[in-house]
Amino acid sequence: MTSAHANPDDLDLYALGALDGEDKQALESHLHACPHCQQQLAAARQRTALVGLAAPAVTPRPQVKSALMDKVQAEKRSPAPQSDPLKTRKKRWGLRFSFGFGLATALLAFATYELAKQDLGRGRQLKQLQAQIAQDAAALQAMGQVTGAPDSAVIALLQQPGGPQGQAHVLYNARMGLAVYSGQIAPAPADKSYQLWLVPASGSPVSAGLVDANQQNGAVVVRLTPGLAAKAFAVTLEPLGGRPQPTGPMVLVGATS
Amino acid sequence: MTAQPQPVPDSALIERMMAGDEAALSTLYDRYSAMLFGMLMRILRDQQAAEEVLQDMFLQLWRNAAQFDAKRGSLPAWLMVIGRNRAISRLRGRRDREVLEEEEGDYANTFASGQNIEDEAVRAELARNISAALEQLPAEQKQAVELAYFEGMTQSEIANRTGTPLGTVKTRVRTAMQTLRQILG
């Protein structure tokens, strides 16, 4: 793989998201150093994207466009509110989140340096670490946006009677559609996952993805639908991998006001 | 005989959006929303969820129009990738596909120029060709591609779901994609 170019089949499967295991790792290692195959992957991405055209076109309800254009109008008209009652609390949380990510990034950078010194043959581990660093750096950037915005809110999520011990906080900015979760809960059973939910003012809960039991020093940044007013956030115990809608008991809950 | 008016190119509409022209967003929405919504409905099978993802995508396009380099890529393909990633993330409760990979706009710069599907007639013909190609695949190949595309499964996950040896699944997906590659160019 390092000398010859990648198999076009592999590029298609990678673009499709179907490649996994060693095949995926080998291709990613090759792509890292091969501009030609990066170009071929670009073409494969475009090609495989079009498979979705096999789904019959469906015209959305007119209300969807109306709501979209209303949001666009509102964004043009109204900048973010200037009042900032949460400034002090947000700053403290911002520092804490930033410290966690900064520390993680520094450790990963150091680990990468050490690996590079020790053994050039550990390219795969290096690549994984580099990807993690890049992800953390991007998460940090997103987190900075939330913590720096005057219209972000901090929501404390508290444990429920009879449930596992735990506590968490969510920094949420509805305008940006960004939430930052940090917290700690008693470990979940092996066949279960903790799942974070945004509970909107109306309608069904919206999944904000899975969270680890110990998310105390490594906050999670979640991208949600911008403009979604939250009534509360909650963590539930779900079957491994999570579910599209909550099915398990609420472990942590916090209202936005 | 009267010549049909040429549609305004996506690149021009993107430039107008960057200048704050809401009508340009409206035109792009009218051009691509049905194509995207069909795909989102197929993945999510939930009208409300599909509507939310669709609206979110166009809002992101409005906010980040400058990230898209129309000279280097196809807007509908970019939208299809982002829409699919978001829908599958939502379907599977996964953040790994969507959380940060779209933010920097890298996708816009990773697409080669391809077929011009800005034109509705070209797009409709391509959709017919893809549907026909999928229908012509052996049932097990078609199923493998659909599980990968519409449910976001890897080859190993498809093998587990269908109770088929992994090697067999790999062969099926590869063969199917070879066929589609010939059609999609």
Side-chain angles (χ1 to χ4, degrees):
Chain A
M1 186 67 81
T2 51
S3 55
H5 288 310
N7 185 322
D9 291 351
D10 285 343
L11 291 171
D12 275 350
L13 295 180
Y14 186 76
L16 192 63
L19 209 61
D20 57 3
E22 291 181 358
D23 295 342
K24 182 181 178 185
Q25 290 179 339
L27 179 61
E28 286 180 339
S29 296
H30 175 74
L31 282 169
H32 191 59
C34 183
H36 171 79
C37 287
Q38 288 171 14
Q39 281 191 333
Q40 295 302 307
L41 176 62
R45 278 182 166 162
Q46 172 148 310
R47 199 163 48 233
T48 53
L50 300 179
V51 172
L53 289 173
V58 178
T59 303
R61 294 183 305 143
Q63 294 93 316
V64 180
K65 184 178 180 185
S66 304
L68 169 70
M69 301 313 288
D70 285 348
K71 282 186 179 178
V72 168
Q73 287 274 354
E75 284 197 3
K76 284 180 79 173
R77 275 199 310 268
S78 60
Q82 296 303 307
S83 61
D84 192 6
L86 296 166
K87 190 172 181 179
T88 307
R89 285 162 65 200
K90 272 193 322 218
K91 260 192 175 171
R92 191 163 62 239
W93 278 100
L95 281 172
R96 182 174 175 179
F97 286 132
S98 298
F99 175 75
F101 269 91
L103 181 62
T105 304
L107 287 172
L108 284 164
F110 177 73
T112 304
Y113 173 71
E114 284 300 307
L115 275 173
K117 272 201 315 184
Q118 288 171 16
D119 184 358
L120 291 174
R122 297 184 184 176
R124 186 174 300 166
Q125 287 171 282
L126 270 174
K127 182 161 175 51
Q128 288 171 347
L129 283 166
Q130 285 164 347
Q132 185 64 47
I133 289 167
Q135 192 175 33
D136 284 354
L140 186 59
Q141 183 187 12
M143 203 164 53
Q145 293 173 352
V146 182
T147 54
D151 53 340
S152 293
V154 182
I155 301 107
L157 276 60
L158 304 177
Q159 69 184 63
Q160 298 301 289
Q165 286 195 328
Q167 185 182 7
H169 287 83
V170 172
L171 254 173
Y172 180 56
N173 188 295
R175 176 174 54 84
M176 298 176 184
L178 282 172
V180 180
Y181 170 91
S182 172
Q184 190 159 22
I185 320 172
D191 60 341
K192 302 284 185 185
S193 298
Y194 286 124
Q195 190 165 0
L196 178 65
W197 304 91
L198 179 153
V199 183
S202 62
S204 305
V206 176
S207 173
L210 304 181
V211 292
D212 291 338
N214 185 356
Q215 208 80 66
Q216 195 71 11
N217 294 319
V220 172
V221 179
V222 183
R223 183 167 292 282
L224 296 157
T225 304
L228 198 56
K231 186 168 63 179
F233 279 84
V235 174
T236 60
L237 188 64
E238 300 294 335
L240 201 62
R243 287 291 180 268
Q245 282 295 309
T247 61
M250 280 199 289
V251 177
L252 303 177
V253 182
T256 53
S257 56
Chain B
M1 193 169 76
T2 308
Q4 290 290 320
Q6 291 295 311
V8 181
D10 287 352
S11 55
L13 293 169
I14 295 278
E15 284 181 14
R16 282 169 48 188
M17 271 204 311
M18 287 165 61
D21 183 353
E22 295 160 38
L25 174 67
S26 175
T27 302
L28 285 172
Y29 181 92
D30 292 342
R31 185 173 290 176
Y32 296 124
S33 60
M35 170 190 85
L36 292 164
F37 193 59
M39 176 195 65
L40 295 172
M41 284 292 289
R42 173 78 184 270
I43 293 173
L44 291 164
R45 301 173 194 277
D46 178 327
Q47 181 174 331
Q48 184 184 343
E51 287 177 350
E52 287 172 4
V53 173
L54 182 73
Q55 191 183 98
D56 184 26
M57 288 172 59
F58 278 97
L59 201 55
Q60 184 190 355
L61 183 63
W62 168 258
R63 288 170 176 160
N64 303 317
Q67 289 183 352
F68 183 77
D69 183 352
K71 291 175 187 163
R72 298 183 60 183
S74 153
L75 178 64
W78 184 61
L79 290 169
M80 291 287 272
V81 170
I82 289 181
R84 176 182 175 237
N85 283 350
R86 288 189 174 207
I88 287 172
S89 294
R90 190 159 177 154
L91 183 74
R92 308 189 69 183
R94 282 163 44 173
R95 294 185 307 276
D96 54 337
R97 280 175 179 270
E98 76 166 307
V99 172
L100 297 164
E101 65 186 349
E102 301 163 10
E103 195 163 49
E104 296 77 20
D106 286 344
Y107 269 128
N109 296 326
T110 58
F111 283 122
S113 295
Q115 303 187 49
N116 174 19
I117 57 171
E118 293 178 19
D119 185 287
E120 189 172 355
V122 174
R123 196 162 63 243
E125 184 181 353
L126 183 60
R128 280 195 297 274
N129 289 343
I130 293 169
S131 297
L134 280 174
E135 289 304 321
Q136 286 171 15
L137 292 174
E140 62 276 11
Q141 287 183 24
K142 180 186 173 198
Q143 181 195 34
V145 170
E146 289 184 338
L147 286 174
Y149 189 92
F150 292 111
E151 298 194 32
M153 289 188 177
T154 64
Q155 295 178 122
S156 301
E157 290 170 332
I158 294 169
N160 285 337
R161 165 74 77 87
T162 59
T164 309
L166 179 58
T168 306
V169 170
K170 287 183 176 180
T171 304
R172 287 175 182 171
V173 181
R174 283 170 194 275
T175 309
M177 290 309 293
Q178 284 168 5
T179 306
L180 292 174
R181 191 160 64 233
Q182 289 171 358
I183 293 165
L184 297 172

